[in-house]
């Protein structure tokens, strides 16, 4: 199986690169914006014509939630236009598409974990573009898997874990919201799940799945655990969302129900605390935060 990975310099793309050697039956072509502009459908067509692939894993996304409110053009191009382009090219070249979406497509006002077919209600421009990206795929005849995830972190790029580690060294105490609840997701676990599932995915048409690590916590709980496991004396204070205003709204509850992906493919998903320990160990040895 030959696989094109777009957005390879991001958190998920880097994690796929790290474990690619564990999948000898797969070969990978890694691209980011410098190698392939996925907002230009003609360039994708030329690239895939010259480099035929069986699957495309789209790890590219505009993920700055707050900047999306003002940088709307680029957010739309990357999160909507590019996704539609990849779906059309996948159809044309008979390749499968795996696309990563977000818990932000939901309104965040639920009291129970969201199922894949629950009504969406995106708040804020980032959330809207992630939902529109899903719609762009659904309008095509692609063989595709849309995976919604949440609270992604890794030893690569910018994320909450690395930010907390850095601030924990600089500050004696930090204020973190306790009224936003979700499930942290270690990008390495998501990368493994995708590559494990890919050869088994035989469904025609488009299917949506949810994937995060097991367990539930608030950002406050998450921050406290990061400090505890890293040995930082930094004190974490719980605050309400209203006391930390940001340009874009955040979902107060974005726990995703993962029963569908677990039952369909028989995969085991690690608990977020166990995966956090692994990531912190890697970060501790690399001193990259």
């Amino acid at each position: 199986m030959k696989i094109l990975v777009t957005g390879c310099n991001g958190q998920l793309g880097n994690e796929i690169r790290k474990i690619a050697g564990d999948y000898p039956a797969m070969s990978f072509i890694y691209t980011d914006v410098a190698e392939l502009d996925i907002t230009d459908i003609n360039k994708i067509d030329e690239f895939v014509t010259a480099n035929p692939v069986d699957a495309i894993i789209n790890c590219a996304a505009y993920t700055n939630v707050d900047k999306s409110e003002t940088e709307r053009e680029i957010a739309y191009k990357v999160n909507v236009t590019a996704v539609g382009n990849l779906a059309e090219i996948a159809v044309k070249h008979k390749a499968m598409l795996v696309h990563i979406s977000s818990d932000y497509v939901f309104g965040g006002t639920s009291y129970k974990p969201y199922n894949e077919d629950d009504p969406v209600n995106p708040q804020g421009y980032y959330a809207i573009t992630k939902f529109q990206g899903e719609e762009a795929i659904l309008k095509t005849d692609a063989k595709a898997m849309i995976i919604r995830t949440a609270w992604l972190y890794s030893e690569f790029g910018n994320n909450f874990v690395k930010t907390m580690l850095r601030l924990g060294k600089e500050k004696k105490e930090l204020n973190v919201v306790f009224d936003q609840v979700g499930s942290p997701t270690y990008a390495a676990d998501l990368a493994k799940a995708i590559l494990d599932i890919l050869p088994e995915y035989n469904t025609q048409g488009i299917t949506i799945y949810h994937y995060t690590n097991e367990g539930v916590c608030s950002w406050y709980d998450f921050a406290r655990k990061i400090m505890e496991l890293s040995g930082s004396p930094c004190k974490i204070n719980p605050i309400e969302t209203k006391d930390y205003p940001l340009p874009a709204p955040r979902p107060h509850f974005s726990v995703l129900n993962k029963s569908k992906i677990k039952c369909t493919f028989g995969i085991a998903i690690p608990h977020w605390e166990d995966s956090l320990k692994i990531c912190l160990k890697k970060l501790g040895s690399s001193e990259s935060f």
Side-chain angles (χ1 to χ4, degrees):
M1 180 178 274
K2 199 167 187 178
I3 301 164
L4 169 63
V5 180
T6 61
C8 70
N9 292 331
Q11 295 193 77
L12 183 58
N14 268 306
E15 292 291 0
I16 288 174
R17 272 205 271 208
K18 272 185 67 176
I19 63 171
D22 298 335
Y23 297 84
M26 298 178 181
S27 61
F28 298 85
I29 304 171
Y30 302 102
T31 66
D32 214 292
V33 64
E35 295 82 26
L36 178 61
D37 179 3
I38 58 174
T39 66
D40 186 330
I41 193 167
N42 294 321
K43 288 183 179 175
I44 310 172
D45 195 13
E46 290 170 10
F47 189 92
V48 175
T49 299
N51 305 276
V53 295
D54 302 299
I56 301 168
I57 303 175
N58 182 33
C59 301
Y62 185 93
T63 57
N64 193 313
V65 176
D66 291 319
K67 281 190 176 180
S68 293
E69 295 298 316
T70 52
E71 297 183 356
R72 294 194 168 202
E73 185 178 355
I74 184 63
Y76 187 89
K77 278 186 175 180
V78 177
N79 291 346
V80 186
T81 304
V83 177
N85 290 346
L86 290 169
E88 288 187 34
I89 294 302
V91 172
K92 180 177 178 180
H93 292 269
K94 295 181 172 58
M96 179 189 166
L97 174 64
V98 179
H99 172 65
I100 311 303
S101 190
S102 169
D103 59 313
Y104 270 69
V105 301
F106 297 110
T109 57
S110 180
Y111 59 91
K112 62 185 181 65
Y114 285 100
N115 294 316
E116 285 83 353
D117 56 359
D118 281 340
V120 299
N121 184 24
Q123 305 292 308
Y125 197 70
Y126 165 76
I128 290 168
T129 61
K130 292 304 289 183
F131 170 60
Q132 289 175 330
E134 293 185 7
E135 283 193 309
I137 297 173
L138 291 165
K139 288 174 184 173
T140 72
D141 294 322
K143 178 182 178 181
M145 183 191 308
I146 297 169
I147 301 177
R148 294 178 182 140
T149 191
W151 296 25
L152 204 65
Y153 70 91
S154 70
E155 54 261 42
F156 301 103
N158 299 314
N159 56 67
F160 184 79
V161 172
K162 291 174 73 175
T163 298
M164 287 298 105
L165 290 170
R166 176 174 53 79
L167 292 176
K169 290 181 173 182
E170 299 171 359
K171 310 274 188 181
K172 290 184 178 178
E173 58 184 279
L174 292 167
N175 298 329
V176 181
V177 295
F178 73 89
D179 56 354
Q180 294 174 27
V181 176
S183 301
T185 308
Y186 184 27
D189 292 335
L190 177 55
K192 183 179 186 301
I194 291 169
L195 298 188
D196 286 346
I197 285 168
L198 211 49
E200 297 182 38
Y201 189 78
N202 298 314
T203 308
Q204 293 299 320
I206 301 157
T207 311
I208 299 174
Y209 293 101
H210 288 167
Y211 185 97
T212 64
N213 280 118
E214 296 283 19
V216 176
C217 64
S218 69
W219 288 110
Y220 163 75
D221 298 321
F222 194 18
R224 274 185 54 111
K225 184 56 68 172
I226 293 165
M227 297 307 172
E228 175 192 324
L229 294 175
S230 65
S232 171
C234 181
K235 182 185 177 186
I236 305 297
N237 303 313
I239 61 168
E240 294 181 58
T241 298
K242 66 178 177 63
D243 298 322
Y244 191 71
L246 291 166
R250 265 63 174 177
H252 284 282
F253 183 93
S254 64
V255 180
L256 302 178
N257 189 329
K258 300 172 287 290
S259 298
K260 183 177 176 181
I261 200 166
K262 289 191 289 186
C263 292
T264 303
F265 299 104
I267 60 171
I269 301 178
H271 191 276
W272 70 265
E273 289 189 25
D274 296 329
S275 291
L276 177 61
K277 289 175 186 176
I278 293 169
C279 183
L280 289 176
K281 190 173 181 181
K282 290 179 180 177
L283 282 168
S285 62
S286 66
E287 293 290 327
S288 60
F289 55 85

